[in-house]
Amino acid sequence: PAQLALNPYSGSCVVVDPNSGEVLALVSYPSYDNNRLANGIDAAYYSGLQSDLSNPLWDYATQMRSAPGSTYKPVVATTLLMEGVTDLTEEVNCTGIFTRFSDRNFRCWIYPGAHGSLNISEAITNSCNSFFYEMSYRMGTGTDGTFNSDLANEKMRTYAELYGLTEKSGIEIEESSPQFSTDNAVPSAIGQGNHNYTTVGLARYIATVANSGTCYNLSLLDKVTDHAGNLLEDYTPEVRNTIEMPTSYWNAIHEGMHGVTENSSYFSDFEMETAGKTGTAEVTSLVPNHALFVGYAPYDDPEIVISMVVEGGASGANLASAAGEIVNYYFGSEHTMESIGTENTLIR
């Protein structure tokens, strides 16, 4: 598709064990046959890869960065609760549009509709932009009633850092550095602004959500042994930090993400309960939005975390079925092997 300037033409997926920080799968698409680049290089093949407009030699899971869109909202929810900006029961009335600025209005994705009154868990489930606009504005407003965007961003950065979003994930291959937004805190609070994160960075963040506060430095490797099996080096992931937060706050975030997948037409048929968050990241009017999905399963005792990004994929909701297939595959559902092709996919 890239040769014809069509979108989408690339994507990535990272699967992590939230209880250990081990990377179970790290996939970049489109890929290539690295057997033809080992023990000598197929020159014609390599030249074709270099000229391919889809950049198959680029690792989209570790090097492409995207605004996180609404997958970022659990970070903001953490900030709001921990900073006392709101509580578990307060509701905000979404009218579909945020009008506190005299020179610019911000719309909720449902506009010209409206969500009505929502608490923080419901705002995550419904991905209500207006709720997070209002709360980020409140977070940056001083006692004199003046809005200070830098103040709100500083508070959000504190918790983004605890989720590992201000540093590389720890994997042992090349990875792009993340970028925390310094733009207006109101759109930044819904994952826009100039936020930019990798798929593997988002996976670490959601693993921290899934396990309620343990942030690991991720690892692709297990161990190195000599020919006799003696251990030379152990790559067991290290705990980077922990987030100490009341259980009720974690439950509110989990409940909100649980509502996302429970309301999904695809996940609603699952016997296993799951949790997730879709994201749609705006780029420019000339380029389709990036699609994102993050989630974990099972809901009550997570074993895997999934992070997916499709450049130009239009909407995060489009990835729900693909995420569901991964959950089915991991937990051994019967129909999965027929619907997942493996011949042309390189897992790196």
Side-chain angles (χ1 to χ4, degrees), residues 212-254:
S212 297
T214 302
C215 181
Y216 289 95
N217 286 323
L218 303 184
S219 177
L220 286 163
L221 305 178
D222 179 15
K223 60 187 176 183
V224 174
T225 64
D226 63 18
H227 69 284
N230 298 309
L231 181 66
L232 299 179
E233 189 164 1
D234 188 349
Y235 288 91
T236 299
E238 297 180 350
V239 174
R240 176 182 181 270
N241 64 274
T242 57
I243 302 175
E244 301 297 331
M245 190 163 70
T247 301
S248 60
Y249 291 0
W250 285 118
N251 289 343
I253 294 171
H254 294 315

Side-chain angles (χ1 to χ4, degrees), residues 41 63 133 151 219 230 286 347:
I41 292 180
Q63 293 177 283
Y133 291 151
L151 175 61
S219 177
N230 298 309
L286 301 177
I347 299 178

